Amino acid sequence: MSFESMWAALQPVGRDAHTGGYRRFAWTRTDHDLREWFAGECAARGLDLTEDRMGNQWAWWGDPDAAAAQGRTGVVTGSHLDSVPDGGAFDGPLGVVSALAAIDLIRARSASEEPGWQPQRPIAVVNFVDEEGARFGVACAGSRVITGVLEPDRARGLTDADGMTMADALRKAGREPDHLGPDPEVLRRIGAFVELHVEQGRGLVDLEKPLAVGTDIWPHGRWRLDFTGEANHAGTTRLEDRHDAMLGLAQAVLTARMAAERHSCVATIGKVAVQPGGVNAIASAATAWLDARGAQEQAVRAAVAEVTAEAERTGASVTEESWTPTTPFDPALAARLQRILGGPPMMGTGAGHDAGILANAGIPTAMLFVRNPTGISHSPEEWAERDDCLAGVASLAMVLEDLAGVGA
Ligand SMILES: [Zn+2]
């Protein structure tokens, strides 16, 4: 049951033979196989597997309810096993496999000691369902439903690319969609949550360090830009007579890039829809979606203001579709992790995680990032070296021993 053997067992599950990427989507056969794999690994370790009202899997070492009766909460680690379309092997599974391997390491160490180390607080490994939102379009659906951020009715009504609702997908997977809902009892068991995750950028490569402690999730938002023009013939309409919706859009793409550089954040237009969409037709309408994020909220706002001003100058309308302020992880917990681990770097992230949803629900939460030499994520190029993975396992084991070593 080593890290390597667990990794090898997961490797073929949901892997596309042509792209080499993973297609592990919620409530599919592949997802079922991953959940069964997780259940088997938990059973082999004598962990008590429970599910919450969304089907997230929680495997407990120790009885969280007996501990709660004595005023002690649990220490939880883990991540998710699903993927984006053609995703990498590490985003999610690294956190789940490392959690199980960390428990093995703690137990092996305590078996060789006299007396052996025993947790004073129960420890759990969680496998969150549907973190990527690849099938139904809402990221972190598993943690959003149990924390009440995503309404059960809305979740049940979400549809996949084939028009199947989440309710029907749940039924097809042999589950009861009416069961979906907030699960405060499960959340009350969590005194601390630590999610280990592959880094999704090049921060640690540049610092030449294998591991970082997460400080926060960057503020981020999405905006819709609607440009209007007038459809006409691409061959017969004189340039001075045209009203081309694409010109404003092109200017917005360039402005987003330059504004992001000026304000030290990131801004991306990666999705556009053009009407009528003909090669030989001038665009009558163009819609673009802007995604902007950064360490500083003011910087992101300033960059978006520049894009908005430029778009409005060309007659476009700009709508804010979503805005999420900075999600800070628990500063005291992060500082404790940094102390336990001998001072690794502290780092924010521009990517969303279940850890962010739990942090917003008031649970003391922290993250550990493992170096990704390619800096690439959500792609088969995503990578972590074996030694860095094992350093992550050893670090997580130290964290769990420290957090669960004292009753709290
Ligand atoms: Zn992830």
Coordinates of all heavy atoms in Angstrom, one line a residue, residues 259-348:
A259 N -3.3 45.7 -19.5 CA -3.8 46.1 -18.2 C -3.3 45.2 -17.1 O -2.9 45.6 -16.0 CB -5.3 46.3 -18.2
A260 N -3.3 43.9 -17.4 CA -2.8 42.9 -16.5 C -1.3 43.1 -16.2 O -0.9 43.0 -15.1 CB -3.1 41.5 -17.0
E261 N -0.6 43.4 -17.3 CA 0.9 43.6 -17.1 C 1.1 44.9 -16.2 O 1.9 44.9 -15.3 CB 1.6 43.8 -18.4 CG 1.8 42.5 -19.2 CD 2.3 42.7 -20.6 OE1 2.7 43.8 -21.0 OE2 2.4 41.6 -21.3
R262 N 0.3 45.9 -16.5 CA 0.5 47.2 -15.7 C 0.2 47.0 -14.3 O 0.8 47.6 -13.4 CB -0.4 48.3 -16.3 CG 0.2 49.1 -17.4 CD -0.6 50.4 -17.6 NE -1.9 50.1 -18.2 CZ -2.1 49.9 -19.5 NH1 -1.1 49.9 -20.4 NH2 -3.3 49.6 -20.0
H263 N -0.8 46.1 -14.0 CA -1.3 46.0 -12.6 C -0.9 44.7 -11.9 O -1.4 44.4 -10.8 CB -2.8 46.1 -12.6 CG -3.3 47.5 -13.0 ND1 -3.3 48.6 -12.3 CD2 -3.9 47.9 -14.2 CE1 -3.8 49.6 -12.9 NE2 -4.1 49.2 -14.1
S264 N 0.1 44.0 -12.5 CA 0.6 42.8 -11.9 C -0.5 41.8 -11.4 O -0.5 41.4 -10.3 CB 1.5 43.1 -10.7 OG 2.5 44.0 -11.1
C265 N -1.4 41.5 -12.4 CA -2.4 40.5 -12.1 C -2.5 39.6 -13.4 O -1.6 39.8 -14.3 CB -3.7 41.1 -11.7 SG -4.4 42.2 -12.9
V266 N -3.5 38.8 -13.5 CA -3.7 38.1 -14.8 C -5.1 38.4 -15.3 O -6.1 38.5 -14.5 CB -3.5 36.6 -14.7 CG1 -2.0 36.3 -14.5 CG2 -4.3 36.0 -13.5
A267 N -5.3 38.5 -16.6 CA -6.6 38.7 -17.2 C -6.6 38.0 -18.5 O -5.6 38.0 -19.3 CB -6.8 40.2 -17.4
T268 N -7.7 37.3 -18.8 CA -7.8 36.4 -19.9 C -9.1 36.5 -20.6 O -10.1 36.4 -19.9 CB -7.6 34.9 -19.4 OG1 -6.5 34.8 -18.5 CG2 -7.5 33.9 -20.5
I269 N -9.1 36.6 -21.9 CA -10.3 36.4 -22.7 C -10.1 35.1 -23.4 O -9.3 35.1 -24.4 CB -10.6 37.6 -23.6 CG1 -11.0 38.8 -22.7 CG2 -11.7 37.2 -24.6 CD1 -11.3 40.1 -23.5
G270 N -10.7 34.0 -23.0 CA -10.5 32.7 -23.6 C -11.7 32.1 -24.2 O -11.7 31.0 -24.7
K271 N -12.8 32.9 -24.1 CA -14.1 32.4 -24.7 C -14.8 33.5 -25.4 O -15.0 34.6 -24.8 CB -15.0 31.8 -23.6 CG -16.3 31.3 -24.1 CD -17.1 30.7 -22.9 CE -18.5 30.4 -23.4 NZ -19.3 29.8 -22.3
V272 N -15.1 33.3 -26.7 CA -15.9 34.3 -27.4 C -17.0 33.6 -28.2 O -16.9 32.4 -28.5 CB -15.0 35.1 -28.4 CG1 -13.9 35.8 -27.7 CG2 -14.4 34.2 -29.5
A273 N -18.1 34.4 -28.5 CA -19.1 33.9 -29.3 C -19.5 35.0 -30.3 O -19.7 36.1 -29.9 CB -20.4 33.6 -28.5
V274 N -19.4 34.6 -31.6 CA -19.6 35.6 -32.7 C -20.8 35.3 -33.5 O -21.0 34.2 -33.9 CB -18.3 35.7 -33.5 CG1 -18.4 36.7 -34.7 CG2 -17.1 35.9 -32.7
Q275 N -21.6 36.4 -33.8 CA -22.8 36.3 -34.7 C -22.5 37.1 -36.0 O -22.0 38.1 -35.9 CB -24.0 36.8 -34.0 CG -24.4 36.1 -32.7 CD -24.7 34.6 -32.9 OE1 -25.1 34.2 -33.9 NE2 -24.4 33.8 -31.8
P276 N -23.0 36.6 -37.1 CA -23.5 35.3 -37.4 C -22.5 34.2 -37.4 O -22.9 33.0 -37.5 CB -24.2 35.5 -38.7 CG -23.5 36.6 -39.4 CD -22.9 37.5 -38.3
G277 N -21.2 34.5 -37.4 CA -20.2 33.5 -37.3 C -19.9 32.9 -38.7 O -19.5 31.8 -38.8
G278 N -20.0 33.7 -39.8 CA -19.7 33.3 -41.1 C -18.3 33.8 -41.5 O -18.0 34.9 -41.2
V279 N -17.6 33.0 -42.3 CA -16.3 33.5 -42.8 C -16.5 34.7 -43.7 O -15.6 35.6 -43.7 CB -15.6 32.4 -43.6 CG1 -14.3 32.9 -44.2 CG2 -15.4 31.2 -42.7
N280 N -17.5 34.8 -44.4 CA -17.7 35.9 -45.4 C -18.8 36.9 -44.9 O -19.4 37.6 -45.7 CB -18.2 35.3 -46.7 CG -19.4 34.5 -46.6 OD1 -19.9 34.3 -45.5 ND2 -19.9 33.9 -47.7
A281 N -18.9 37.0 -43.5 CA -19.9 37.9 -43.0 C -19.2 38.8 -41.9 O -18.4 38.3 -41.1 CB -21.1 37.2 -42.3
I282 N -19.5 40.1 -41.9 CA -19.1 41.0 -40.9 C -19.9 40.7 -39.6 O -21.1 40.5 -39.7 CB -19.3 42.5 -41.3 CG1 -18.4 42.7 -42.5 CG2 -19.0 43.4 -40.2 CD1 -18.8 43.9 -43.4
A283 N -19.2 40.7 -38.5 CA -19.9 40.2 -37.2 C -20.9 41.3 -36.8 O -20.6 42.5 -36.7 CB -18.9 40.0 -36.2
S284 N -22.1 40.8 -36.5 CA -23.2 41.7 -36.0 C -23.2 41.8 -34.5 O -23.7 42.7 -33.9 CB -24.6 41.2 -36.5 OG -24.8 39.9 -36.0
A285 N -22.6 40.8 -33.9 CA -22.5 40.8 -32.4 C -21.3 39.9 -32.0 O -21.0 38.9 -32.7 CB -23.8 40.3 -31.8
A286 N -20.7 40.2 -30.9 CA -19.6 39.4 -30.4 C -19.6 39.5 -28.9 O -19.8 40.6 -28.3 CB -18.2 39.9 -30.9
T287 N -19.6 38.4 -28.2 CA -19.6 38.3 -26.8 C -18.3 37.7 -26.4 O -17.8 36.7 -26.9 CB -20.8 37.5 -26.2 OG1 -22.0 38.1 -26.7 CG2 -20.8 37.5 -24.7
A288 N -17.6 38.3 -25.4 CA -16.4 37.8 -24.9 C -16.5 37.7 -23.4 O -17.2 38.5 -22.7 CB -15.2 38.7 -25.3
W289 N -15.8 36.7 -22.8 CA -15.8 36.6 -21.4 C -14.4 36.8 -20.8 O -13.4 36.2 -21.3 CB -16.3 35.2 -20.9 CG -17.7 35.0 -21.0 CD1 -18.6 35.2 -20.0 CD2 -18.5 34.6 -22.2 NE1 -19.9 35.0 -20.5 CE2 -19.9 34.6 -21.8 CE3 -18.2 34.3 -23.5 CZ2 -20.9 34.3 -22.7 CZ3 -19.2 34.0 -24.4 CH2 -20.5 34.0 -24.0
L290 N -14.3 37.7 -19.9 CA -13.0 38.1 -19.3 C -12.9 37.5 -17.9 O -13.8 37.6 -17.1 CB -13.0 39.6 -19.1 CG -11.8 40.2 -18.3 CD1 -10.5 40.1 -19.1 CD2 -12.1 41.7 -18.0
D291 N -11.8 36.8 -17.7 CA -11.5 36.2 -16.4 C -10.3 37.0 -15.8 O -9.3 37.1 -16.5 CB -11.1 34.7 -16.6 CG -10.7 34.0 -15.3 OD1 -9.7 34.4 -14.7 OD2 -11.3 33.0 -14.9
A292 N -10.4 37.5 -14.6 CA -9.3 38.3 -14.1 C -9.1 37.9 -12.6 O -10.0 37.7 -11.8 CB -9.6 39.8 -14.2
R293 N -7.8 37.8 -12.2 CA -7.4 37.3 -10.9 C -6.1 38.0 -10.5 O -5.3 38.4 -11.4 CB -7.2 35.8 -10.8 CG -8.3 35.0 -11.5 CD -8.0 33.6 -11.5 NE -8.9 32.9 -12.4 CZ -9.4 31.6 -12.2 NH1 -8.9 31.0 -11.1 NH2 -10.2 31.1 -13.0
G294 N -5.8 38.0 -9.2 CA -4.5 38.5 -8.8 C -4.4 38.5 -7.3 O -5.4 38.3 -6.6
A295 N -3.2 38.7 -6.8 CA -3.0 38.7 -5.4 C -3.7 39.8 -4.7 O -4.1 39.7 -3.6 CB -1.5 38.7 -5.1
Q296 N -3.7 41.0 -5.4 CA -4.3 42.2 -4.8 C -5.7 42.5 -5.5 O -5.7 42.7 -6.7 CB -3.4 43.4 -5.0 CG -2.0 43.2 -4.3 CD -2.1 42.9 -2.8 OE1 -2.9 43.5 -2.2 NE2 -1.2 42.1 -2.3
E297 N -6.7 42.6 -4.6 CA -8.0 42.9 -5.1 C -8.1 44.3 -5.9 O -8.6 44.3 -7.0 CB -9.0 43.0 -3.9 CG -10.4 43.1 -4.3 CD -11.4 42.8 -3.2 OE1 -11.0 41.9 -2.4 OE2 -12.4 43.4 -3.1
Q298 N -7.4 45.3 -5.4 CA -7.4 46.6 -6.1 C -6.8 46.5 -7.4 O -7.2 47.2 -8.4 CB -6.5 47.6 -5.2 CG -7.3 48.4 -4.3 CD -6.4 49.4 -3.5 OE1 -5.2 49.1 -3.4 NE2 -7.0 50.5 -3.1
A299 N -5.7 45.7 -7.6 CA -5.0 45.6 -8.9 C -6.0 44.9 -9.9 O -6.0 45.3 -11.0 CB -3.8 44.7 -8.7
V300 N -6.7 43.9 -9.5 CA -7.6 43.2 -10.4 C -8.7 44.2 -10.8 O -9.0 44.3 -12.0 CB -8.2 42.0 -9.7 CG1 -9.2 41.3 -10.6 CG2 -7.1 41.0 -9.3
R301 N -9.2 44.9 -9.8 CA -10.3 45.9 -10.1 C -9.8 46.9 -11.1 O -10.5 47.4 -12.0 CB -10.8 46.5 -8.8 CG -11.6 45.6 -7.9 CD -12.9 45.3 -8.6 NE -13.9 44.7 -7.7 CZ -15.1 44.2 -8.1 NH1 -15.4 44.3 -9.4 NH2 -15.9 43.6 -7.3
A302 N -8.6 47.4 -10.9 CA -8.0 48.4 -11.8 C -7.8 47.9 -13.2 O -8.2 48.6 -14.2 CB -6.7 48.9 -11.2
A303 N -7.4 46.7 -13.3 CA -7.2 46.1 -14.7 C -8.5 46.0 -15.4 O -8.7 46.3 -16.6 CB -6.5 44.8 -14.6
V304 N -9.5 45.5 -14.6 CA -10.8 45.3 -15.2 C -11.5 46.6 -15.6 O -12.1 46.7 -16.6 CB -11.8 44.5 -14.3 CG1 -13.2 44.4 -14.8 CG2 -11.2 43.0 -14.1
A305 N -11.2 47.6 -14.8 CA -11.8 49.0 -15.1 C -11.2 49.5 -16.4 O -11.9 50.1 -17.2 CB -11.4 49.9 -14.0
E306 N -9.9 49.2 -16.7 CA -9.3 49.6 -18.0 C -10.0 48.9 -19.1 O -10.3 49.5 -20.2 CB -7.8 49.4 -18.0 CG -7.1 50.3 -17.1 CD -5.6 50.2 -17.2 OE1 -5.1 49.7 -18.3 OE2 -4.9 50.7 -16.3
V307 N -10.2 47.6 -19.0 CA -10.8 46.8 -20.1 C -12.3 47.3 -20.3 O -12.7 47.5 -21.4 CB -10.8 45.3 -19.8 CG1 -11.5 44.5 -20.9 CG2 -9.4 44.8 -19.5
T308 N -13.0 47.6 -19.2 CA -14.3 48.1 -19.2 C -14.4 49.4 -20.0 O -15.3 49.6 -20.9 CB -14.9 48.2 -17.8 OG1 -14.9 46.9 -17.2 CG2 -16.4 48.7 -17.8
A309 N -13.5 50.3 -19.6 CA -13.5 51.7 -20.2 C -13.3 51.5 -21.7 O -14.0 52.2 -22.5 CB -12.5 52.5 -19.5
E310 N -12.3 50.7 -22.1 CA -12.0 50.5 -23.5 C -13.2 49.9 -24.3 O -13.6 50.4 -25.4 CB -10.8 49.6 -23.6 CG -10.4 49.3 -25.0 CD -10.1 50.6 -25.9 OE1 -9.6 51.6 -25.3 OE2 -10.4 50.6 -27.1
A311 N -13.8 48.9 -23.6 CA -15.0 48.2 -24.3 C -16.1 49.2 -24.4 O -16.8 49.3 -25.5 CB -15.4 47.0 -23.5
E312 N -16.4 50.0 -23.4 CA -17.5 50.9 -23.4 C -17.3 52.0 -24.4 O -18.2 52.6 -25.0 CB -17.8 51.5 -22.0 CG -18.5 50.4 -21.1 CD -18.7 50.8 -19.7 OE1 -18.1 51.9 -19.3 OE2 -19.4 50.1 -19.0
R313 N -16.0 52.4 -24.6 CA -15.6 53.4 -25.6 C -16.1 53.0 -27.0 O -16.5 53.8 -27.8 CB -14.1 53.7 -25.6 CG -13.7 54.9 -26.3 CD -12.2 55.0 -26.3 NE -11.5 53.9 -27.0 CZ -11.5 53.7 -28.3 NH1 -12.0 54.6 -29.1 NH2 -10.9 52.7 -28.8
T314 N -16.1 51.6 -27.2 CA -16.5 51.1 -28.5 C -17.9 50.7 -28.5 O -18.4 50.1 -29.5 CB -15.6 49.9 -28.9 OG1 -15.9 48.8 -28.0 CG2 -14.1 50.2 -28.9
G315 N -18.7 51.1 -27.5 CA -20.1 50.9 -27.5 C -20.6 49.6 -26.9 O -21.7 49.3 -26.9
A316 N -19.6 48.9 -26.3 CA -20.0 47.6 -25.7 C -20.6 47.8 -24.3 O -20.4 48.8 -23.7 CB -18.8 46.7 -25.6
S317 N -21.4 46.8 -23.9 CA -21.8 46.8 -22.5 C -21.1 45.7 -21.7 O -20.7 44.6 -22.3 CB -23.3 46.5 -22.4 OG -23.6 45.2 -22.9
V318 N -20.8 46.0 -20.5 CA -20.0 45.1 -19.7 C -20.8 44.7 -18.4 O -21.3 45.5 -17.7 CB -18.6 45.7 -19.3 CG1 -17.8 44.8 -18.4 CG2 -17.8 46.2 -20.5
T319 N -20.9 43.4 -18.2 CA -21.7 42.8 -17.1 C -20.8 42.0 -16.2 O -20.1 41.1 -16.7 CB -22.8 41.9 -17.6 OG1 -23.4 42.6 -18.7 CG2 -23.8 41.7 -16.5
E320 N -20.8 42.3 -14.9 CA -20.0 41.4 -14.0 C -20.9 40.2 -13.7 O -22.0 40.2 -13.2 CB -19.8 42.2 -12.7 CG -19.0 41.4 -11.7 CD -18.5 42.2 -10.5 OE1 -17.8 43.2 -10.6 OE2 -19.0 41.9 -9.4
E321 N -20.4 39.0 -14.1 CA -21.1 37.8 -13.9 C -20.8 37.2 -12.5 O -21.6 36.5 -11.9 CB -20.8 36.7 -15.0 CG -21.4 37.1 -16.3 CD -21.3 36.0 -17.3 OE1 -20.5 35.1 -17.2 OE2 -22.2 36.0 -18.2
S322 N -19.6 37.3 -12.0 CA -19.3 36.8 -10.7 C -18.1 37.6 -10.1 O -17.2 38.1 -10.9 CB -19.0 35.3 -10.7 OG -17.7 35.1 -11.4
W323 N -18.0 37.7 -8.8 CA -16.9 38.3 -8.1 C -16.7 37.6 -6.8 O -17.6 37.5 -6.0 CB -17.0 39.8 -7.9 CG -15.9 40.3 -7.1 CD1 -16.0 40.7 -5.8 CD2 -14.6 40.5 -7.4 NE1 -14.8 41.1 -5.3 CE2 -13.9 41.0 -6.3 CE3 -13.8 40.3 -8.6 CZ2 -12.5 41.3 -6.3 CZ3 -12.5 40.6 -8.6 CH2 -11.8 41.1 -7.5
T324 N -15.5 37.1 -6.6 CA -15.2 36.4 -5.3 C -14.0 37.1 -4.7 O -12.9 37.1 -5.3 CB -14.8 34.9 -5.5 OG1 -15.9 34.3 -6.3 CG2 -14.7 34.2 -4.2
P325 N -14.2 37.7 -3.5 CA -13.1 38.4 -2.9 C -12.0 37.4 -2.4 O -12.2 36.2 -2.5 CB -13.7 39.1 -1.7 CG -15.1 38.7 -1.6 CD -15.4 37.8 -2.8
T326 N -10.9 37.9 -1.9 CA -9.8 37.1 -1.4 C -10.4 36.0 -0.4 O -11.2 36.4 0.4 CB -8.8 37.9 -0.7 OG1 -8.4 38.9 -1.5 CG2 -7.6 37.1 -0.2
T327 N -10.1 34.8 -0.6 CA -10.4 33.8 0.4 C -9.2 33.5 1.3 O -8.3 32.7 0.8 CB -10.9 32.5 -0.3 OG1 -12.0 32.8 -1.1 CG2 -11.3 31.4 0.8
P328 N -9.1 34.1 2.5 CA -7.9 33.8 3.3 C -8.0 32.4 3.9 O -9.1 32.0 4.4 CB -7.9 34.9 4.3 CG -9.4 35.4 4.4 CD -10.1 35.0 3.1
F329 N -7.0 31.7 4.0 CA -6.9 30.5 4.8 C -6.6 31.0 6.2 O -6.2 32.1 6.5 CB -5.9 29.5 4.3 CG -6.2 28.9 3.0 CD1 -5.3 29.0 1.9 CD2 -7.5 28.4 2.7 CE1 -5.6 28.5 0.7 CE2 -7.8 27.9 1.5 CZ -6.9 27.9 0.4
D330 N -6.8 30.1 7.2 CA -6.7 30.4 8.6 C -5.2 30.8 8.9 O -4.3 30.0 8.8 CB -7.1 29.3 9.5 CG -7.1 29.6 10.9 OD1 -6.1 29.5 11.6 OD2 -8.2 30.0 11.4
P331 N -5.0 32.1 9.2 CA -3.6 32.6 9.4 C -2.8 31.8 10.5 O -1.6 31.5 10.3 CB -3.7 34.1 9.7 CG -5.1 34.4 9.4 CD -5.9 33.2 9.4
A332 N -3.5 31.5 11.6 CA -2.9 30.8 12.7 C -2.5 29.4 12.3 O -1.4 28.9 12.6 CB -3.8 30.8 13.9
L333 N -3.4 28.8 11.5 CA -3.1 27.4 11.1 C -2.0 27.4 10.1 O -1.1 26.6 10.2 CB -4.4 26.8 10.5 CG -4.3 25.3 10.0 CD1 -4.0 24.4 11.2 CD2 -5.6 24.9 9.4
A334 N -2.0 28.4 9.2 CA -0.9 28.5 8.2 C 0.4 28.7 8.9 O 1.5 28.1 8.5 CB -1.2 29.6 7.2
A335 N 0.5 29.6 9.9 CA 1.7 29.9 10.6 C 2.2 28.6 11.4 O 3.4 28.3 11.4 CB 1.5 31.0 11.6
R336 N 1.2 27.9 11.9 CA 1.6 26.6 12.6 C 2.2 25.6 11.7 O 3.2 25.0 12.0 CB 0.3 26.0 13.3 CG 0.6 24.8 14.2 CD -0.7 24.6 15.0 NE -0.6 23.3 15.7 CZ -1.6 22.8 16.4 NH1 -2.6 23.5 16.7 NH2 -1.4 21.6 17.0
L337 N 1.6 25.5 10.5 CA 2.2 24.5 9.5 C 3.6 25.0 9.1 O 4.5 24.1 8.9 CB 1.3 24.5 8.2 CG 0.2 23.4 8.1 CD1 -0.7 23.3 9.4 CD2 -0.6 23.5 6.9
Q338 N 3.7 26.3 8.9 CA 5.1 26.8 8.5 C 6.1 26.4 9.6 O 7.2 26.1 9.3 CB 5.0 28.3 8.2 CG 6.1 28.7 7.3 CD 6.3 30.2 7.2 OE1 6.0 30.9 8.1 NE2 6.9 30.6 6.1
R339 N 5.7 26.6 10.8 CA 6.6 26.3 12.0 C 6.9 24.8 12.0 O 8.1 24.4 12.1 CB 5.9 26.7 13.3 CG 6.9 26.9 14.4 CD 6.2 27.6 15.6 NE 5.1 26.8 16.1 CZ 3.8 27.2 16.1 NH1 3.5 28.3 15.6 NH2 2.9 26.4 16.6
I340 N 5.9 24.0 11.9 CA 6.1 22.5 11.9 C 7.0 22.1 10.8 O 7.8 21.2 11.0 CB 4.7 21.8 11.7 CG1 3.7 22.1 12.8 CG2 4.9 20.3 11.6 CD1 2.3 21.7 12.5
L341 N 6.9 22.7 9.7 CA 7.6 22.2 8.5 C 9.0 22.9 8.3 O 9.6 22.8 7.2 CB 6.8 22.3 7.2 CG 5.4 21.5 7.3 CD1 4.6 21.8 6.1 CD2 5.7 20.0 7.4
G342 N 9.4 23.7 9.3 CA 10.7 24.3 9.2 C 10.8 25.5 8.2 O 11.8 25.7 7.6
G343 N 9.7 26.2 8.0 CA 9.8 27.5 7.3 C 9.7 27.4 5.8 O 10.4 28.1 5.1
P344 N 8.8 26.5 5.2 CA 8.7 26.6 3.8 C 8.1 27.9 3.3 O 7.5 28.6 4.2 CB 7.7 25.4 3.5 CG 6.9 25.3 4.7 CD 7.8 25.7 5.8
P345 N 8.1 28.2 2.0 CA 7.5 29.5 1.6 C 6.0 29.5 1.8 O 5.4 28.5 1.8 CB 7.9 29.6 0.1 CG 8.4 28.2 -0.3 CD 8.8 27.5 1.0
M346 N 5.5 30.7 1.9 CA 4.0 30.9 1.9 C 3.6 31.4 0.6 O 4.3 32.3 0.0 CB 3.6 31.9 3.0 CG 4.2 31.6 4.4 SD 3.4 30.3 5.3 CE 2.2 31.3 6.2
M347 N 2.4 31.0 0.1 CA 2.1 31.3 -1.3 C 0.5 31.3 -1.5 O -0.2 30.5 -1.0 CB 2.7 30.2 -2.1 CG 2.6 30.3 -3.6 SD 3.5 28.9 -4.3 CE 5.1 29.5 -4.1
G348 N 0.1 32.3 -2.2 CA -1.4 32.4 -2.5 C -1.5 31.6 -3.9 O -0.6 31.3 -4.5

